[in-house]
Amino acid sequence: MSASLPGNRDLPSSQYDLSTYWGRVRQSAEIADPRTLFVSGSGLENAKRLVSDYKTGRAQSMTPEMWQAKKIVDSTLHPDTGQPVLLPFRMSCFVISNLIVTAGMLTPNMGTRGTLLWQIANQSLNVAINTANSNKSTPLSASVLAQSYLLAVSASCSVALGLNALVPKLKRISPAARTTLGRLVPFAAVASAGALNVFLMRGEEIRRGIDVYPVLSDAGKAEKEAKGQEAGATESLGKSRKAATLAVGETALSRVFNATPIMVLPPLVLVRLQGRKWLRARPRMVLPVNLGLILATSVFALPLALGVFPQRQGISVDKLEDEFKGRGGLCGEVEFNRGI
């Protein structure tokens, strides 16, 4: 991301108002734009040069070309290392990377072996994405990573197999309702495992707390820049367990929100389409139709889910531990990074 490049002048966080839901949705659409995957090495270097020019003061304003450069840098570079994130695990590749795995999990009338294999594949992809984009200043140990992975796989497989066995036994509901519930089993497995995985991988944050920073006014940021200090490099006020609980809880909820449109809408639409004569007469078209539904839903619904919670969040010091009372910045607030 642009924060990893040299310079003591902060770029604007976004060209959209991130305090509003629709502003965050538009920003999420920028981050998830798959067109940035096709930027060449020279294009990335040019984008880094433009961003560095702004951060060092050689460029004075945010032009459309500068916004595009920031978009490329933010979607390609890791914020801690400044190195490109491996392409399949970038947020801009999320739709493409998840397409096949999601289609596999949503395949109708899948047996036990297929259910297990696709749930394992999904959790393996999740771990790879989380690891590639994790905070490198406080890396997870291999043992914690392995434990989180095994527990998440166990949870998703247990939920999927358990519900697959339970739904056919629900005799009091209609066959159509049982079919619909059966198609939603992958969503229940993915959502529960995703939320559990967040608490497992970030449990240490809840126990120890996360860094909180005073919210700076525009005058405060200008003063730091005048002193040659990066405006975003504000000194931490300490670690707050209450802020960590909020950050981890919101991230767990965001995993559920992210899975909901992609894992719920396509199977429900497919159930309706399979009742039509056209698709019943062409069973080989079920897979392409399923892929098309998942792709369309992912492209349009993913930004709506990602924009629910802000990435950088402010909170009043009155809601935190006593040690932070009276130490807030603008309007008595501090901010923290929610994480992904």
Side-chain angles (χ1 to χ4, degrees):
M1 296 184 78
S2 54
S4 62
L5 298 178
N8 56 24
R9 183 184 179 200
D10 269 354
L11 274 80
S13 300
S14 173
Q15 55 186 320
Y16 310 113
D17 183 1
L18 299 184
S19 65
T20 67
Y21 172 67
W22 286 112
R24 295 194 296 272
V25 168
R26 297 178 71 182
Q27 174 67 8
S28 298
E30 292 272 299
I31 295 173
D33 187 350
R35 290 176 298 181
T36 59
L37 298 172
F38 301 101
V39 175
S40 64
S42 59
L44 175 59
E45 290 302 317
N46 182 60
K48 290 166 64 176
R49 178 184 59 78
L50 288 172
V51 170
S52 295
D53 284 347
Y54 183 90
K55 295 188 70 175
T56 55
R58 288 194 291 270
Q60 298 301 316
S61 60
M62 291 296 294
T63 62
E65 186 181 18
M66 189 71 72
W67 282 116
Q68 179 65 18
K70 183 181 185 298
K71 173 181 174 179
I72 293 170
V73 169
D74 285 350
S75 63
T76 304
L77 302 185
H78 192 284
D80 294 331
T81 66
Q83 298 299 314
V85 175
L86 195 61
L87 189 146
F89 308 137
R90 298 175 191 170
M91 185 56 66
S92 52
C93 197
F94 182 89
V95 171
I96 300 172
S97 297
N98 279 269
L99 180 61
I100 301 300
V101 173
T102 304
M105 289 189 293
L106 295 180
T107 300
N109 306 316
M110 189 164 49
T112 299
R113 180 181 297 180
T115 298
L116 290 174
L117 288 176
W118 283 116
Q119 289 295 332
I120 291 172
N122 181 60
Q123 292 305 322
S124 299
L125 179 61
N126 286 343
V127 167
I129 291 174
N130 290 341
T131 303
N133 294 279
S134 64
N135 189 325
K136 302 303 182 184
S137 62
T138 54
L140 286 173
S141 65
S143 60
V144 171
L145 189 62
Q147 181 186 38
S148 300
Y149 171 70
L150 292 175
L151 287 173
V153 167
S154 300
S156 64
C157 290
S158 298
V159 171
L161 294 179
L163 291 179
N164 277 337
L166 174 64
V167 170
K169 297 178 181 179
L170 301 176
K171 303 300 183 183
R172 295 185 179 181
I173 61 177
S174 66
R178 282 201 299 272
T179 300
T180 300
L181 287 176
R183 298 292 177 88
L184 295 179
V185 166
F187 163 68
V190 169
S192 58
L196 175 63
N197 188 261
V198 171
F199 283 101
L200 290 172
M201 296 189 71
R202 298 181 61 182
E204 196 65 22
E205 294 180 21
I206 295 177
R207 289 187 288 272
R208 295 187 178 184
I210 59 174
D211 287 316
V212 295
Y213 305 88
V215 176
L216 295 180
S217 63
D218 291 339
K221 292 178 181 179
E223 183 180 352
K224 290 182 72 69
E225 290 178 7
K227 294 179 179 179
Q229 301 172 342
E230 188 169 349
T234 309
E235 185 177 351
S236 170
L237 297 176
K239 294 184 180 292
S240 168
R241 290 186 295 275
K242 290 185 178 181
T245 301
L246 178 62
V248 174
E250 286 187 351
T251 302
L253 281 175
S254 72
R255 297 294 174 88
V256 177
F257 293 148
N258 291 351
T260 299
I262 300 170
M263 302 295 291
V264 171
L265 295 180
L268 293 183
V269 173
L270 188 61
V271 166
R272 296 296 299 272
L273 292 177
Q274 285 180 305
R276 302 294 178 90
K277 292 182 180 180
W278 185 87
L279 196 56
R280 285 204 307 268
R282 299 169 177 82
R284 292 184 179 181
M285 291 299 297
V286 171
L287 179 58
V289 168
N290 198 20
L291 286 172
L293 288 171
I294 294 169
L295 179 62
T297 305
S298 299
V299 169
F300 293 105
L302 182 62
L304 299 176
L306 292 177
V308 173
F309 297 115
Q311 181 69 29
R312 191 87 179 171
Q313 189 160 324
I315 186 172
S316 171
V317 292
D318 295 332
K319 298 180 180 180
L320 301 180
E321 292 85 349
D322 290 340
E323 63 187 273
F324 298 105
K325 296 294 191 295
R327 300 175 63 194
L330 184 66
C331 300
E333 289 194 343
V334 297
E335 61 182 2
F336 57 88
N337 183 16
R338 179 174 62 82
I340 62 168

